[in-house]
Amino acid sequence: MISLLSTKSLTETQRQLLAEAGLSVVEQEFIRVQLLPVPPFEWQHNLLFTSQQAVKSVVAQKSIAHPENHTVFCVGEKTKAALETAGFIVKASFESAETMAHFLINSDEDHFDFFCGNRRLDTLPTRLIQKGKNLREIVVYSTENQAQKIETPIDGVLFFSPSGVESFLEKNTLETQPCFCIGSTTAAALHGITQNIYIAPTPTVEATLQLSIDYFKR
């Protein structure tokens, strides 16, 4: 049986998706996430989120008293769903920080609060600031590597973040195994390491799993 390594824990539904396709999966958490205290600022009208973890931190701490009074831009459909569940109004969602940056620099909006992690990529802040936009970053969670040596033979690897790639490579190497990535920024972390990179058509865990299923069904 084909065996995959998932660099994060999956839900039972996600495991079932692989099992029904005849694939087994080994799950290991390669990064550890810690929610950080959110300072009591007076928030801008426009809020930016590029990860579900940032949403989780803000919502858990009830940092924004009236979410319906703000306009939100985010990356990812699941991030959007989490925001809307919490009462935020999502004006637009995007597949990547790059596409969100392109949209915002061409908009009439000039002031933004960006909720992010301690290892956020430079893409969004750099592009907005270069174009004269006013951006305040609020770090609401931290991630740290939780590297582990994988002894079990694996036929493919599922990656869900650049940090996960970095942590995996601390104690493991890639040979000819295909690497299935949730998005282009995660895939970029593998450049120069392997050419066997496959990117999900949409940045969701389910799409990444389906990508691996389709690959091994060929």
Side-chain angles (χ1 to χ4, degrees), residues 15-58:
R15 293 186 198 104
Q16 189 63 29
L17 181 65
L18 293 173
E20 289 175 355
L23 304 181
S24 66
V25 62
V26 175
E27 302 170 42
Q28 292 287 348
E29 289 284 359
F30 276 85
I31 59 173
R32 179 165 48 242
V33 177
Q34 179 179 356
L35 304 186
L36 301 177
V38 180
F41 289 143
E42 182 175 339
W43 305 113
Q44 300 287 353
H45 178 68
N46 298 302
L47 310 179
L48 309 180
F49 292 86
T50 57
S51 74
Q52 295 177 62
Q53 291 294 348
V55 177
K56 185 184 297 184
S57 182
V58 169

Side-chain angles (χ1 to χ4, degrees), residues 97-109:
E98 180 68 31
T99 54
M100 181 160 76
H102 180 75
F103 177 88
L104 294 176
I105 62 178
N106 290 292
S107 74
D108 294 330
E109 304 294 347

Side-chain angles (χ1 to χ4, degrees), residues 45-186:
H45 178 68
N46 298 302
L47 310 179
L48 309 180
F49 292 86
T50 57
S51 74
Q52 295 177 62
Q53 291 294 348
V55 177
K56 185 184 297 184
S57 182
V58 169
V59 171
Q61 299 178 62
K62 300 180 180 179
S63 307
I64 299 175
H66 300 285
E68 69 279 1
N69 293 341
H70 298 271
T71 296
V72 178
F73 303 89
C74 71
V75 172
E77 286 301 313
K78 290 198 172 182
T79 304
K80 177 184 177 183
L83 286 161
E84 290 178 337
T85 298
F88 289 93
I89 298 171
V90 178
K91 185 172 183 179
S93 64
F94 306 87
E95 290 193 357
S96 68
E98 180 68 31
T99 54
M100 181 160 76
H102 180 75
F103 177 88
L104 294 176
I105 62 178
N106 290 292
S107 74
D108 294 330
E109 304 294 347
D110 290 321
H111 294 79
F112 305 92
D113 278 336
F114 175 33
F115 298 94
C116 60
N118 64 318
R119 296 166 70 176
R120 62 104 181 102
L121 299 178
D122 293 334
T123 305
L124 187 61
T126 298
R127 293 204 59 193
L128 292 184
I129 292 170
Q130 284 177 343
K131 293 298 182 178
K133 302 292 186 179
N134 188 307
L135 181 75
R136 177 171 59 181
E137 293 183 43
I138 303 96
V139 177
V140 296
Y141 71 96
S142 66
T143 60
E144 59 181 76
N145 291 359
Q146 197 166 256
Q148 303 167 70
K149 177 68 176 175
I150 302 300
E151 305 291 352
T152 307
I154 53 173
D155 301 297
V157 188
L158 302 161
F159 288 111
F160 303 100
S161 70
S163 299
V165 173
E166 179 185 292
S167 181
F168 172 84
L169 292 173
E170 281 187 22
K171 294 189 176 181
N172 302 277
T173 57
L174 291 165
E175 297 176 358
T176 60
Q177 300 100 326
C179 298
F180 306 102
C181 300
I182 197 169
S184 57
T185 53
T186 298

